[in-house]
Amino acid sequence: MSDTIDRARSLISGASHLVVLTGAGISAESGIPTFRGADGFWRVGSKNYHPQQMATYRAFCAMPEEIWKWYLYRLDLCKNAKPNAGHRAIVKLEKSFERAGKQFHLVTQNVDGLHLEAGSDPATTYQVHGNIHFIRCAKECSPDIHPLAKQNAGVPLCPQCGGFARPHVLWFDEMYDEKNYKYETVLTLSQKLDVLLIVGTTLQTSLPALLVSAAIKRGVPVIDINPEPAGLDGDRVIQISGKAAEILPEILEG
Ligand code: NAD
């Protein structure tokens, strides 16, 4: 294990354009359940729903109150969570790249906002699935995004047209775009990065999976930190089995 950690450390410090890709696993130790974990399910009436059924535009149109109930519950978890040692280690890494005049970008699938709260630079942090602390008009009366004011129940309303608002997140039955989710920016990064560090994701969503497959195809070193690594194939893939809040500080600060 310590050999693998040393190799990862030297690849990261030798990178001139590092991209870090994070998923729900990095926030697990802040107390936010992952989607694929046992806590992910939600009960409506007598039926259990999987997040992949709840987090859809279709479900929102069919049962807006229930969907918002689920999001307000998740928002509450996010509001009570604090960034952990993994989020903080990524901030330190970003600053060390900045001091050295090297390129650093963070692509996160998380909607909890914890990277920004930890101090990651908003200019180089791409929240490719949105941010649960924000809303936008469900009918897109305007492209504006608004902070979600305190709301304990019911459906938040669009401050512009008064119709239903939706959480500012990408749903499973929707497409990425540049304006809300930085689609083209991330595709461009996939052709430029020279080391990719992945943390805590099953890579089941398409843009993150594209980023990883492009890196592997280009022969770029890829480091995957996860208690159950995704089993990526490639000569230059390093898998480190362990928890983000333990392994990241060890690699990045060790
Ligand atoms: P996922 O739920 O599919 O997978 C989580 C991964 O994290 C698994 O591979 C698991 O083995 C790993 N993991 C668990 N504990 C870990 C730890 N301590 N350290 C490192 N890895 C750990 O998550 P995903 O791939 O990010 O996809 C889920 C989708 O759900 C994303 O679209 C994301 O937007 C959304 N989501 C976000 C949050 C959040 O914002 N915190 C939470 C749940 C789901």
Side-chain angles (χ1 to χ4, degrees), residues 22-29 32-37 74 78 109-113 129 172 199-205 225-229 242-245:
T22 64
I26 195 168
S27 296
E29 284 151 281
I32 303 177
T34 65
F35 267 3
R36 271 102 193 160
R74 296 190 65 81
C78 295
Q109 295 166 80
N110 295 344
V111 297
D112 54 33
H129 293 165
F172 284 105
V199 187
T201 170
T202 45
L203 293 173
Q204 308 266 319
T205 51
I225 301 172
N226 196 315
E228 295 167 48
K243 293 182 174 179

Side-chain angles (χ1 to χ4, degrees), residues 45-82:
S46 61
K47 208 171 154 198
N48 265 333
Y49 286 86
H50 190 271
Q52 268 153 307
Q53 297 166 298
M54 296 294 287
T56 61
Y57 186 67
R58 190 191 161 111
F60 175 76
C61 293
M63 43 179 186
E65 286 85 5
E66 279 301 338
I67 298 302
W68 261 113
K69 204 165 153 192
W70 185 58
Y71 273 101
L72 292 174
Y73 159 76
R74 296 190 65 81
L75 177 65
D76 210 42
L77 289 177
C78 295
K79 280 191 169 157
N80 288 321
K82 290 276 158 270

